[in-house]
Amino acid sequence: MIIMSVDLGKARTGIAVSDKGEGFAFPNCVITEYNEEKLVMKVAEKAKELGAELIVAGLPKNMDGSEGFRAEECRAAAKKIAEASGIEVVMWDERCTTVSAHTVLNMNDTRGKKRKQTVDAVAAVMILEDFLTFRKNQKK
């Protein structure tokens, strides 16, 4: 199954996608959009373009596991994406993914404008990799 992940942001939203065998996650793109309705439509279109059968949206929980205002916004956006695309959207804990993405980019010496353009896609990859690992372990 092809699974697409979404790292929702206020300005930039990272998109990653798995292979059919659910073994690998690849960065796909970063959507720059400030208007939520336009963002929802762009994400839904990307999911259809990629042939996604499931969408995993990052859920920004607080470090203590509680959910704040941003988590509520992401849940609402994810619901709209599901309605617009007709594809199931699963929420997935994204704690520390952006920090980890910055670490990966540091190790690869990615700086400046290129870093800003890729960090959200790398975070989406990390969300998707975590989800794929969970699915693999559930099948055992």
Side-chain angles (χ1 to χ4, degrees), residues 3-131:
I3 303 172
M4 184 179 94
S5 68
V6 182
D7 180 34
L8 291 162
K10 288 281 190 184
R12 289 178 309 280
T13 296
I15 303 291
V17 65
S18 75
D19 63 318
K20 278 189 180 256
E22 299 179 22
F24 299 98
F26 305 96
N28 182 268
C29 68
V30 174
I31 299 171
T32 302
E33 182 58 66
Y34 295 90
N35 179 290
E36 184 181 306
E37 297 306 315
K38 288 180 182 177
L39 174 64
V40 165
M41 295 313 297
K42 288 179 180 182
V43 172
E45 288 169 14
K46 181 57 73 172
K48 290 175 184 176
E49 173 190 315
L50 295 171
E53 300 167 74
L54 180 67
I55 300 170
V56 178
L59 180 64
K61 290 185 175 185
N62 297 321
M63 291 309 289
D64 66 1
S66 65
E67 294 183 16
F69 181 71
R70 185 68 187 131
E72 291 174 24
E73 288 180 335
C74 287
R75 281 190 187 279
K79 183 178 179 184
K80 291 175 186 176
I81 291 167
E83 290 168 357
S85 67
I87 301 168
E88 179 186 2
V89 178
V90 174
M91 300 304 294
W92 195 255
D93 186 352
E94 69 167 37
R95 277 180 282 186
C96 299
T97 55
T98 301
V99 172
S100 297
H102 280 289
T103 301
V104 167
L105 293 172
N106 282 341
M107 290 188 302
N108 291 305
D109 201 30
T110 304
R111 305 265 184 248
K113 193 173 185 178
K114 186 174 183 182
R115 178 189 192 102
K116 194 173 185 179
Q117 293 171 342
T118 59
V119 69
D120 298 298
V122 173
V125 167
M126 293 180 164
I127 292 166
L128 186 52
E129 285 176 341
D130 191 35
F131 182 77

